[in-house]
Amino acid sequence: MNSIRDLFGNYVLNVAILCWLSAQLLKTLLNFMKTRRFNPERLVGAGGMPSAHSASVCGVTIALARSQGFASPLFALAFLMAAIVMYDAMGVRRQAGEHAKVINMIVRKNKNYVTYMPKDKDGLKEFLGHTPLEVMGGALLGILIAILLPM
């Protein structure tokens, strides 16, 4: 029973989960405001504003700084992992999404000639990465949640 209590009382884990949930809910709300349609995929999907990945890793980084100190190896590891995740979101994942847009456009224009397309009826997934603004939005959300959530 103590293990379950410890799990739910884990400040760093609670910050990570709350950051991810908050970012996904905000992403869904912002998408609804923009399109006037509820898209349930936005509740769990990648891409969009704010970045849930950035919110989570920045929240964990600040939570570890608060609980372990800035000189701790855990903070150092979290900081480096956050930098890698955010760099990847703006780089490789964003480019993969841009490539998917172009491939989907080519396939739609040439559907009589294309013999293979993934079973997904809408083509390749285009929402994968983030713009720098989306990453910054997620990072600030994560930092704010980690600071405001009591230890």
Side-chain angles (χ1 to χ4, degrees), residues 100 104-105 107-108 117-126:
N104 287 339
M105 181 187 70
V107 168
R108 280 190 291 273
M117 192 61 185
K119 295 182 189 330
D120 184 64
K121 63 184 170 202
D122 295 326
L124 298 172
K125 184 169 171 52
E126 296 178 7

Side-chain angles (χ1 to χ4, degrees), residues 7 14 18 24 32-33 38 48 55 72 79 92 96 102 113 119-120 125:
L7 180 65
N14 289 338
L18 186 59
Q24 291 302 127
F32 177 78
M33 291 168 59
F38 173 69
S72 80
F79 183 86
V92 175
V102 172
Y113 303 105
K119 295 182 189 330
D120 184 64
K125 184 169 171 52

Side-chain angles (χ1 to χ4, degrees), residues 43-107:
L43 286 169
V44 293
M49 172 64 132
S51 165
H53 290 90
S54 299
S56 298
V57 295
C58 286
V60 165
T61 301
I62 298 303
L64 285 168
R66 290 185 70 201
S67 64
Q68 306 294 313
F70 284 100
S72 80
L74 287 174
F75 169 76
L77 178 61
F79 183 86
L80 291 173
M81 295 308 295
I84 291 167
V85 166
M86 292 187 295
Y87 177 81
D88 182 64
M90 290 186 294
V92 175
R93 285 181 38 234
R94 183 173 179 207
Q95 284 302 307
E98 295 299 317
H99 291 155
K101 286 179 189 175
V102 172
I103 292 169
N104 287 339
M105 181 187 70
I106 291 169
V107 168

Side-chain angles (χ1 to χ4, degrees), residues 7-54:
L7 180 65
F8 287 106
N10 185 318
Y11 166 67
V12 176
L13 181 60
N14 289 338
V15 166
I17 292 169
L18 186 59
C19 287
W20 183 84
L21 283 171
S22 299
Q24 291 302 127
L25 288 172
L26 274 171
K27 186 182 303 190
T28 304
L29 179 64
L30 290 173
N31 184 263
F32 177 78
M33 291 168 59
K34 181 179 178 182
T35 65
R36 295 287 175 214
R37 286 188 355 244
F38 173 69
N39 181 356
E41 187 273 339
R42 296 287 68 211
L43 286 169
V44 293
M49 172 64 132
S51 165
H53 290 90
S54 299

